[in-house]
Amino acid sequence: MWPYFPDLLARPVPRYTSYPPATQFIDKVGADAQAKALNAVVSGTPISLYAHIPYCQSICWYCGCNTGAAGRTQRLHAYLEALEGEMAMVAKMLGGRGKLQRIAFGGGSPNAIEPIAFVRLVDRLVTMFSGNSPDISVEIDPRAFSLEWAMTLAVAQVSRVSFGVQSFEPDIQAAIGRVQPVEMIETCMASLRARGIKAINFDLMYGLPHQTNESLLGTLNHVARMRPSRIALFGYAHVPHIFPRQKRIDTAALPGIEARFEQAAIGYERLVSEGYVPVGFDHFALPDDSLAIAAAEGKVRRNFQGFTEDQSDVLIGFGASAISQFPDAIIQNEKNPGAYREIVGAHQLAGRRGLVRDVDDQLRAQLIERLLCTGRADTTCLLNDPASLASLRQLEERRLIIRDGNTIVLTEAGRPYARVVAALFDTTLPVLGTGSLAA
């Protein structure tokens, strides 16, 4: 279905969950910039909150998240105490100026903590930030799910739950250290739906060890039967030099670039044939889901949680490694949970890395976001760069974009190359920056 251009696929480009991307974060931008950004939030500004739980009951080998094993109860309690301390500091600085829209819990696995502790966190966030029925979403590890958790999520008025599924094929699950039978996921979904939680997401992966087109289709057959509200189909990134746990995965068993491309195309075709609306380059939603509705209205956004209908320009992150995003700054908290606890215990903001965005950065961030979310972008900022214009011509010749005056539009063939096109607007890439396609 999609044309295969290996030269474009071989080019490493960011996922653009932010611009400039996280690779540009520097240590000089931390707590001071965080305080300045928080103090600059004006009254009535819509805000979204993210709480990071960096613990799991067991660690999956493929995982690229900032997480560790939840072995000691005392360590979890100490972390949650620090988390509440950070929330209290930030809430005091905001002084009620933000208008709470959404709360998201991620990790790790938020259900690595006790259900009662989760309810307390929700209550504290809603109380501290004066929330009036915010939209609440939670990432869940099915292996640590229970009827108690289903009831807890309902009591906490959680509106959306995301399950890390990855694959339903037993041999692939064994190869990535995440064994969870189909029946386990079915039971989890039934428990949630019985308690009124209908919005359920699946995270799936292609490019996994031993994965073939047939095994991917086998997983998608199960998915089609279960009908989750949304699906994210990610490509597995094998970077064992960054995440040592991935060394347990057999590199020789991983599909090659062309096989990965085929799997992405097969996943796209199968999900669209089942009535899912494609959003961006790796998300899918049922037509009545809020993400699909936002896509139809041209209101999809992109942030560190992927493609979203969240319209807030201020996202405040809590916990170790959590990222806060403001119009003119992006700040990441201390990554190490132990060091994070010490910082918050000393009544200091936990921001330790990040960047300040000038006017040009903000403009390019908007252009990249619009391109990835709507498939359209204005190229005026590229017109004085001959190399950029040459790159645009090359993309047009390959029928990956259509040019309409100063506007470019991604074609259906260009969907898997969206990030490559976005890289044209990126001035931070040393080699793949403006004009790189013509090089």
Side-chain angles (χ1 to χ4, degrees):
M1 169 192 137
W2 291 325
Y4 176 60
F5 296 117
D7 59 315
L8 298 184
L9 294 173
R11 299 179 185 274
V13 292
R15 292 189 60 81
Y16 293 117
T17 50
S18 74
Y19 181 82
T23 52
Q24 300 300 310
F25 288 3
I26 59 175
D27 295 337
K28 292 181 180 179
V29 178
D32 290 343
Q34 187 177 15
K36 182 178 179 180
L38 287 168
N39 287 324
V41 174
V42 300
S43 181
T45 298
I47 64 170
S48 293
L49 308 178
Y50 170 77
H52 187 77
I53 309 297
Y55 298 104
C56 295
Q57 295 298 334
S58 60
I59 303 301
C60 307
W61 306 340
Y62 69 89
C63 183
C65 298
N66 178 44
T67 187
R72 297 196 302 270
T73 301
Q74 182 56 39
R75 181 170 61 175
L76 278 175
H77 289 171
Y79 179 80
L80 294 176
E81 183 179 349
L83 195 61
E84 287 196 25
E86 183 189 16
M87 293 179 333
M89 275 192 292
V90 171
K92 184 177 181 180
M93 294 186 71
L94 280 179
R97 297 192 307 279
K99 185 177 180 181
L100 180 59
Q101 305 291 307
R102 294 170 180 267
I103 302 173
F105 291 88
S109 302
N111 59 321
I113 66 177
E114 293 296 323
I116 189 64
F118 176 78
V119 172
R120 177 181 169 85
L121 278 179
V122 172
D123 178 70
R124 297 296 287 161
L125 284 169
V126 173
T127 301
M128 288 177 180
F129 294 89
S130 305
N132 183 18
S133 300
D135 182 271
I136 304 174
S137 62
V138 185
E139 296 177 3
I140 291 292
D141 182 346
R143 299 169 299 174
F145 196 68
S146 63
L147 288 176
E148 183 183 9
W149 262 105
M151 292 185 288
T152 297
L153 296 175
V155 168
Q157 297 185 316
V158 168
S159 52
R160 183 173 299 275
V161 172
S162 294
F163 285 122
V165 173
Q166 319 317 339
S167 173
F168 281 118
E169 303 303 307
D171 61 326
I172 296 175
Q173 291 183 354
I176 63 175
R178 191 182 182 96
V179 176
Q180 46 189 30
V182 173
E183 295 77 15
M184 178 184 290
I185 308 299
E186 290 175 329
T187 299
C188 292
M189 295 186 74
S191 297
L192 290 172
R193 286 170 170 168
R195 287 157 182 81
I197 300 177
K198 309 296 184 182
I200 300 174
N201 302 357
F202 279 4
D203 287 342
L204 305 175
M205 280 189 170
Y206 63 86
L208 292 170
H210 306 295
Q211 197 169 37
T212 63
N213 295 349
E214 292 72 23
S215 62
L216 176 59
L217 284 171
T219 285
L220 295 177
N221 287 338
H222 288 299
V223 171
R225 176 171 52 82
M226 296 181 189
R227 303 296 286 177
S229 306
R230 296 182 192 174
I231 298 160
L233 180 58
F234 302 121
Y236 167 62
H238 190 62
V239 284
H241 59 287
I242 300 176
F243 301 105
R245 64 185 66 135
Q246 293 185 351
K247 292 178 180 178
R248 301 187 67 176
I249 289 179
D250 181 6
T251 304
L254 295 173
I257 295 177
E258 186 170 4
R260 286 171 57 93
F261 186 80
E262 288 182 6
Q263 289 175 9
I266 287 171
Y268 177 91
E269 291 179 338
R270 182 73 172 90
L271 292 172
V272 170
S273 73
E274 287 293 334
Y276 284 89
V277 176
V279 180
F281 51 83
D282 58 9
H283 280 47
F284 303 84
L286 291 176
D288 60 352
D289 185 85
S290 55
L291 183 62
I293 294 171
E297 297 175 349
K299 294 181 178 179
V300 174
R301 303 290 303 274
R302 185 159 176 80
N303 60 26
F304 289 100
Q305 296 166 41
F307 292 102
T308 176
E309 70 276 28
D310 185 2
Q311 298 300 304
S312 301
D313 286 328
V314 174
L315 171 64
I316 301 174
F318 301 108
S321 79
I323 297 175
S324 296
Q325 189 164 346
F326 305 89
D328 59 355
I330 305 173
I331 313 293
Q332 184 173 31
N333 280 357
E334 166 61 45
K335 290 185 177 182
N336 182 277
Y340 163 80
R341 294 197 306 269
E342 291 180 2
I343 292 168
V344 176
H347 305 289
Q348 299 174 7
L349 290 175
R352 285 300 177 268
R353 300 178 69 246
L355 52 84
V356 174
R357 299 197 284 193
D358 60 22
V359 173
D360 184 67
D361 288 335
Q362 293 179 52
L363 170 63
R364 290 175 184 273
Q366 293 172 3
L367 293 172
I368 290 172
E369 183 180 43
R370 288 298 84 203
L371 178 69
L372 298 182
C373 294
T374 69
R376 304 175 65 90
D378 186 285
T379 62
T380 302
C381 67
L382 305 179
L383 296 182
N384 293 326
D385 188 334
S388 291
L389 296 178
S391 296
L392 290 173
R393 283 193 296 271
Q394 181 182 352
L395 291 168
E396 189 174 21
E397 289 169 0
R398 295 188 179 193
R399 299 182 180 179
L400 302 181
I401 63 169
I402 296 172
R403 297 178 67 184
D404 180 11
N406 291 340
T407 300
I408 57 171
V409 181
L410 277 177
T411 64
E412 190 54 50
R415 184 183 293 270
Y417 301 98
R419 292 186 296 131
V420 175
V421 181
L424 287 175
F425 298 93
D426 188 345
T427 62
T428 72
L429 297 177
V431 177
L432 298 177
T434 304
S436 64
L437 293 178

